[in-house]
Structure formats: C-alpha cells, structure tokens
C-alpha cells in the first residue's frame, strides 16, 4: 500500500470571515464604550458591576477578541484586542468562527447562541445576565430594528428619534474616535 | 418541532430499585477503584442511611478512605477545598456522595480539584471550560427533587464574596447514580411534596426553554407522568416503596432533561425568593410554577397544551377542547398545589411561606439577574418579575 495516495487533510482557512469578525469586535468594543457614557440602560447595568470588572469576548481559535473594563466612573473602557484572558474576570469564548460570524452579522442572537452551545465562559458568571443586557442594548443601536428584533426577545424601548440620534453618535463619534 | 441545532448528553449509568445500592460495589470494581471518599451530611447520618451503605459494601475489598459527614445545607468552596485535601491525604481514588443537592454539588466540586489539581475550586468556575475527564464519581440521592445526580452543573457558594458560583461541564456528571428506595423512605411528607414540585418544575420548564430539544422533552414527559401518578401517593403514604422509587426516577429524568435544556423564569423567581425570604427551593418552585407557566403562555401555548397529557392524564386531556388545553395545564398545576396543601400544608403563596409584600421588589431585582432568565422564552424584566411576585404573593 502506498501511503502517498492518502494525503493529510488540513483545515480550510476562512480569512474573510475572520477579518469580518475582527472588524465587528472592534466596532462592538468602541460602540459599547461610547454608549456606556450616555445610554441610560447600559449605565444602569454597568453601575451594578464591580469596579475594574473586566469582560472579554474571544473567538476561538485565533479569531480575535475584545476586552472591556468597568471604570471608577461606572462606564466601560474598550481595552483593545490584545488583552490577556488570564487578567479578565469573565471570558466568553465563541467556540468557532462560523458561530461568531453568525452572531456578529445579525443572524443569531446572544441568547440563542448560548442555547445552541456556541459559547462557553470562564470566571465569575454572576453578572452574565446583566452583561447580556448590555450587549443586547448595544446590538439594538448597531443593527436596524428589523434585524435587531430577531436577535433578542424584546427590543429595548427607546423613542424613535432618540434612538436615531444615539445611533448616529455611536457610528460617527463612538466607533471612529471612541468618544 | 426540531430546533435548528441541539446537543444532548447524559452518560450516567442508573441503578434503580428497592435495593439498588447492593449493586454499587460491582460498579466500583468495574471502574477499578477501591478507596472512595464518602461524602454525606448530618441529616443522612441521623437517618441511619450510612448503615445501608455499609451493608451494601459488606464482604468487599472496598474501604472508604474517609467518611465526611459535615456537608452544610449550602455547599461552600471552603468545604470543597478541605475535602480535596482530605482526599489526597487518605489516598482515595474516587468519590461516593450520599445526600441531597448540596452533598452532590460538593462532591462535584471536590472531583474537579482532585482530578485537575489545585487548592481552590474557584479557579475552575465557568461554563463548559473544564479540561478533560474527572475521577469516577458515584452518587446516591436521598431526596427526589434536585436531580443533581443527572445534571452537568454544580452551584457552590463562596463565603468570602457571598456569591453562588456556577460550574458547568459535561465532565461533572457522575459515572453512576443509584436510585435506592430505602434512601428516600424517611423523607417527611412536606419535604416529599416540595422536592416533587421541584422535579415537576425542572421537567415543565425544560419543555418551555429556548434550549428545549426532542430528547430532553422525552425525559421531561416521563418525569411529569411519574409525578402525576405517584407524588400525591408518596405524600399521603410515605412508606409506599413504589411511589418513592417512581419519584426518585422522575427526579433523575427531570434532572437529565433540564441539564440539557435549562430552566426559566420560575427558577429565576424561586432562586430570588429563596435568597430574600430564605424559603426552601422546592417550596419556592411550588409557589411560582403556575404563574411562570402563565407568563410564558403567549409564546408557548402549544407546548403547554401538549403537557396536559402527562400532567393531568388521558381522560382530562381528551375531554378538554384543544383551544383550552394550555390554560387547563396551568389550572391543573394550581389544583395539584391545593391538593398538596391539603395533604401536608405545603405553602401555595409567598405570604403562606412567611414573606412580606415589602420583600417583593428585592425578589424582582434579583430574579432578573438570575442566569435561568436567559433561557426563558420571554424577556423577564423588572416589571414582569414584579408582576409574577405580586401574583405569587397571595
């Protein structure tokens, strides 16, 4: 038998999806940082987190990450994509690039993502539900309502023009400049 | 309806019977272990259940490396860490847990430390991140409600921070669970009723959850069926062995169901009421169950209608018009609560359980941050939680 007939089968690479995931992680990190300064629901949630509480989202394997830290002013600071998971209080791992892509592109909500075992987490999970509410609130600003409605059980109730103004501010100032 | 994707994992070997413990030594031999650490609590010792265990292991080569009988009602990281030291000191090679949810969760925590190394179990908290299989764990539940013998999770309190830490991993599941009638025969009627309603809540919420799947549904249905047939009988006649064994099975089946599909708002409310009002978990489940079902009615009417069959039996199901079945399911739970109240005085409302109206906002505030709320079909916000608390109050 010639073993040359049976080549190694190496995993396919998905550089475009990986790149999109990394871009969304950056946008999400900056957007949450910005919204945490003026969005009342997010501010209310973050105020309940312990000071310096650090949250990380990591896409496995090697699919990018984001880290957010609760500051003394009770808002969130985006710490970039090269944070050490060992230093975070909670690390939420997306188990694979496809699940992360589905969640980051508005095809799958956080609750259903967890229900479908797309995620696992290490650390103190006592703030998990609050973290999910913060992320869902941010998602409601980042995606149009007809997409966001499919991603969560109930859209956070925000008056139309207030929502558009905050959305504009998030996209024009929050994401590019982090303010 | 099939979900787009689901997972189901239940590798636990069940030994069920009136003298099932007698078959446990063979299971230890098959696992090639002969020196387990025996973990239990003072209640089990007082009830004399350890003698049943000693008799079951008579004439074997198996020696318990140590008998630890001081597990508190709420498992704690301190106890887990101490027990891991004891396990190492005595050269144990496995764990046998005899007790309720706290004992079994403690044993799961000890198993993490003795298998993966380390001195503080807090280092391993999290969901689905434990690396690799653990040591053989054998459990024999002495209550029929928590289903811990069939779940992939453990809740262990950290006395320093006051936080209840969650550990979730498929590796936490025991190798063998023993359902022996003799271990639950001494449960008093009210505790039997409360734990039975806990099991019923596990099963019904598993069917409603957003993680529900056809396999967990099958386990949950059988659990509900067994509870309908045997719960009232076990409360009325505690010495009825058939009813006891049926409830032990129902609890395990419900545990396997919710371990794979999670629970929902009834547990969120119940955990919160337990923390604020210090009421037993089973009592809280009994109080909130029909209100939680009614809350989810708008999104789960079909499921609730189907559950009427195992919950109320074929005659009632067949005689109820399809459009009324979901509401009839909720009514059947109310009726069961009333019957259990008449039989053993199990509280039906928060007021009967000794809570005051002033405690309701604190319950609602805690409930919306409980992890179970995530898997509930509908969003549980503060207003909804307050509404549930008000309904359950009186």
């Amino acid at each position: 038998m010639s073993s040359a007939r049976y080549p190694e089968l190496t995993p396919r690479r998905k550089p475009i999806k990986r790149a999109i995931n990394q871009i969304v992680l950056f946008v999400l990190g900056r957007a949450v940082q910005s919204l945490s300064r003026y969005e009342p629901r997010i501010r209310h949630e973050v105020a309940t987190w312990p000071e310096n509480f650090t949250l990380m989202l990591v896409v496995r394997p090697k699919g990018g990450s984001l880290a957010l830290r609760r500051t003394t002013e009770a808002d969130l600071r985006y710490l970039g994509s090269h944070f050490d998971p060992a230093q975070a209080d909670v690390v939420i791992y997306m188990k694979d690039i496809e699940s992360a892509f589905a969640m980051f592109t508005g095809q799958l909500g956080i609750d259903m993502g967890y229900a479908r075992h797309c995620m696992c987490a290490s650390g103190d999970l006592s703030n998990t539900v609050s973290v999910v509410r913060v992320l869902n609130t941010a998602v409601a600003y980042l995606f149009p309502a007809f997409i966001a409605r499919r991603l969560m059980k109930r859209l956070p109730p925000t008056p139309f023009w207030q929502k558009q103004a905050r959305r504009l501010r998030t996209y024009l100032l929050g994401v590019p400049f982090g303010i | 309806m099939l979900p787009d994707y689901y997972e189901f994992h239940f590798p636990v070997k069940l030994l069920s019977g009136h003298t099932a413990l007698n078959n446990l030594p063979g299971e230890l031999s098959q696992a090639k272990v002969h020196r387990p650490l025996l973990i239990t609590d003072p209640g089990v010792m007082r009830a004399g259940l350890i003698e049943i265990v000693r008799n079951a292991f008579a004439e074997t080569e198996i020696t318990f490396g140590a008998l630890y009988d001081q597990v508190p009602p709420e498992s704690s990281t301190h106890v887990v860490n101490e027990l891991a030291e004891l396990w190492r000191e005595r050269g144990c090679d496995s764990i046998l847990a005899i007790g309720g949810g706290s004992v079994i969760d403690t044993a799961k925590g000890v198993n993490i430390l003795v298998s993966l190394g380390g001195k503080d179990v807090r280092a391993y908290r999290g969901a689905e991140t434990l690396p690799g299989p653990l040591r053989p764990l054998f459990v024999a539940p002495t209550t029929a409600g928590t289903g811990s013998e069939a779940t992939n999770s453990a809740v262990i309190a950290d006395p320093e921070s006051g936080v209840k830490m969650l550990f979730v991993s498929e590796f936490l599941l025991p190798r063998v669970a023993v359902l022996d009638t003799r271990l639950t025969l001494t449960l008093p009627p009210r505790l039997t009723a409360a734990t039975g309603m806990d099991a019923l809540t596990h099963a019904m919420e598993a069917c409603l959850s957003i993680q529900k799947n056809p396999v967990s549904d099958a386990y949950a249905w059988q659990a509900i069926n067994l509870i309908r047939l045997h719960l009232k009988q076990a409360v009325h006649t505690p010495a009825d062995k058939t009813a006891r064994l049926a409830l032990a099975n129902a609890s395990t089946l419900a545990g396997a169901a919710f371990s794979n599909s999670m629970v929902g708002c009834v547990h969120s409310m119940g955990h919160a009421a337990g923390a604020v009002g210090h009421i037993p978990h089973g009592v809280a489940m009994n109080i909130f169950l029909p209100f939680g079902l009614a809350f989810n009615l708008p999104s789960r009417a079909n499921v609730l209608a189907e559950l009427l069959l195992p919950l109320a039996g074929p005659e009632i199901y067949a005689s109820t018009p399809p459009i009324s079945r979901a509401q009839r399911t909720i009514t059947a739970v109310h009726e069961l609560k009333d019957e259990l109240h008449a039989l053993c005085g199990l509280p039906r409302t928060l007021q009967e359980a000794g809570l005051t109206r002033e405690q309701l906002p604190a319950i609602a505030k805690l409930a919306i941050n409980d992890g179970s709320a995530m898997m509930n079909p509908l969003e549980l916000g503060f207003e909804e939680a307050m509404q549930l608390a008000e309904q359950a109050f009186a």
Side-chain angles (χ1 to χ4, degrees):
Chain A
M1 186 183 79
S2 166
S3 65
R5 283 189 58 198
Y6 308 105
E8 273 187 0
L9 189 61
T10 53
R12 177 181 280 178
R13 301 290 163 202
K14 295 182 173 174
I16 296 174
K17 282 188 175 172
R18 183 149 47 90
I20 291 172
N21 284 346
Q22 284 166 344
I23 291 167
V24 176
L25 280 167
F26 172 80
V27 170
L28 184 64
R30 282 282 182 86
V32 172
Q33 171 177 286
S34 174
L35 284 162
S36 73
R37 291 174 184 169
Y38 52 81
E39 211 294 329
R41 267 181 298 269
I42 292 182
R43 289 195 63 77
H44 173 74
E45 293 293 344
V46 173
T48 66
W49 300 0
E51 209 169 287
N52 292 321
F53 174 82
T54 309
L55 166 74
M56 265 195 99
L57 284 181
V58 176
V59 180
R60 280 177 168 168
K62 298 178 185 170
S65 67
L66 76 80
L68 291 160
R69 175 171 289 159
R70 193 253 201 215
T71 67
T72 47
E73 289 80 36
D75 52 22
L76 291 171
R77 179 160 302 149
Y78 172 56
L79 301 176
S81 59
H82 294 97
F83 195 78
D84 176 10
Q87 306 299 316
D89 294 290
V90 173
V91 186
I92 298 172
Y93 297 97
M94 313 250 174
K95 288 183 184 173
D96 59 85
I97 193 170
E98 284 293 346
S99 303
F101 185 77
M103 293 178 74
F104 291 158
T105 53
Q107 300 170 63
L108 185 63
I110 298 168
D111 295 344
M112 281 312 293
Y114 186 72
R116 291 185 192 177
H117 302 270
C118 300
M119 295 179 275
C120 57
S122 64
D124 175 10
L125 304 182
S126 56
N127 291 315
T128 307
V129 183
S130 181
V131 166
V132 169
R133 278 197 292 265
V134 166
L135 293 176
N136 272 340
T137 307
V139 165
Y141 285 102
L142 293 175
F143 287 109
F146 75 93
I147 293 178
R149 199 170 286 121
R150 289 191 287 119
L151 303 178
M152 55 196 81
K153 295 168 193 164
R154 183 177 60 196
L155 275 182
T158 312
F160 180 79
W161 290 113
Q162 203 172 48
K163 188 171 184 173
Q164 304 312 321
R166 285 183 191 147
R167 178 176 283 158
L168 214 58
R169 177 172 170 178
T170 304
Y171 271 114
L172 294 181
L173 299 173
V175 175
F177 306 110
I179 51 177
Chain B
M1 193 176 69
L2 279 176
D4 289 344
Y5 177 82
Y6 77 91
E7 295 180 4
F8 188 91
H9 185 74
F10 185 62
V12 181
K13 181 171 182 177
L14 297 181
L15 311 183
S16 168
H18 296 315
T19 57
L21 260 175
N22 297 353
N23 290 50
L24 184 58
E27 295 299 323
L28 270 78
S29 301
Q30 209 165 38
K32 294 189 169 42
V33 294
H34 60 277
R35 199 172 166 78
L37 170 65
L38 178 50
I39 303 175
T40 188
D41 63 27
V44 170
M45 297 302 289
R46 273 196 303 276
L49 302 181
I50 289 303
E51 285 312 307
I52 300 172
V53 179
R54 288 190 72 194
N55 282 333
F57 281 82
E59 296 294 327
T60 67
E61 297 300 315
I62 296 164
T63 303
F64 294 103
L67 163 60
Y68 184 89
D69 60 0
Q70 293 301 315
V71 174
E74 191 172 73
S75 46
S76 97
T77 52
H78 289 173
V79 174
V80 167
N81 297 344
E82 278 174 24
L83 275 169
E85 281 304 309
L86 182 64
W87 191 93
R88 291 174 186 129
E89 199 180 288
R90 299 292 178 88
C92 297
D93 56 12
S94 54
I95 299 169
L96 171 58
I98 312 270
S102 171
V103 169
I104 296 172
D105 281 3
T106 299
K108 288 174 178 174
V110 175
N111 204 16
I112 293 173
L113 273 186
V114 300
S115 304
L116 302 177
K119 294 196 166 187
D120 190 348
V121 73
R122 288 179 296 189
Y124 293 103
R125 64 196 169 172
E128 298 184 37
T129 51
L130 284 188
L134 309 183
R135 298 274 183 169
L137 169 64
F138 305 86
V139 303
T142 57
T143 61
T146 66
S148 296
E149 69 280 5
T151 66
N152 61 358
S153 57
V155 178
I156 302 171
D158 176 10
E160 283 164 31
S161 65
V163 171
K164 284 188 179 181
M165 291 186 307
L166 183 63
F167 302 80
V168 184
S169 169
E170 63 185 87
F171 302 120
L172 293 180
L173 283 158
R175 180 183 172 105
V176 174
V178 187
L179 311 179
D180 187 308
T181 314
R182 295 169 295 177
L183 299 182
T184 56
L185 270 181
T186 53
L187 278 180
R190 193 185 288 198
L191 193 54
T192 303
T195 50
M197 289 305 284
D198 186 18
L200 180 65
T201 308
H202 290 154
M204 295 192 81
E205 289 216 287
C207 292
L208 300 182
S209 150
I210 63 170
Q211 207 173 39
K212 76 190 250 76
N213 62 73
V215 190
S216 66
D217 280 355
Y219 280 73
W221 267 59
Q222 193 54 253
I224 297 169
N225 207 35
L226 287 170
I227 290 167
R228 167 175 63 86
L229 293 170
H230 299 282
L231 177 57
K232 283 180 280 184
Q233 174 61 15
V235 174
H236 184 265
T237 314
D240 186 323
K241 289 183 177 179
T242 306
R244 288 295 190 187
L245 191 58
L247 286 186
N249 274 269
S251 170
T252 302
L253 289 165
F258 92 84
S259 180
N260 286 281
S261 62
M262 295 293 284
V263 283
C265 70
V266 178
H267 271 77
S268 307
M269 298 301 298
H271 290 154
V276 173
H278 306 290
I279 55 174
H281 180 67
V283 172
M285 294 299 99
N286 179 62
I287 292 170
F288 281 107
L289 179 57
F291 305 110
L293 299 180
F295 173 62
N296 284 313
L297 182 62
S299 73
R300 287 288 190 264
N302 288 347
V303 179
L304 284 169
E306 288 169 6
L307 288 180
L308 183 62
L309 181 57
L311 183 68
E315 285 82 13
I316 292 178
Y317 180 82
S319 64
T320 307
I323 198 158
S324 308
R325 283 177 185 157
Q327 190 57 52
R328 184 68 185 83
T329 299
I330 296 165
T331 308
V333 177
H334 278 296
E335 289 167 358
L336 179 59
K337 281 174 67 173
D338 289 340
E339 288 174 84
L340 292 174
H341 180 74
L343 278 171
C344 65
L346 188 68
R348 292 163 297 182
T349 62
L350 293 173
Q351 196 172 29
E352 283 178 1
L355 274 78
T356 62
R357 198 175 281 281
E358 288 68 41
Q359 291 174 300
L360 302 188
I363 291 174
K365 202 172 164 190
L366 271 183
I368 61 169
N369 287 319
D370 187 86
S372 314
M374 259 180 82
M375 295 297 111
N376 196 66
L378 294 176
E379 182 79 15
L380 184 71
F382 182 77
E383 286 80 20
E384 291 87 357
M386 264 310 283
Q387 204 177 339
L388 281 173
E390 289 280 359
Q391 288 167 347
F393 181 70

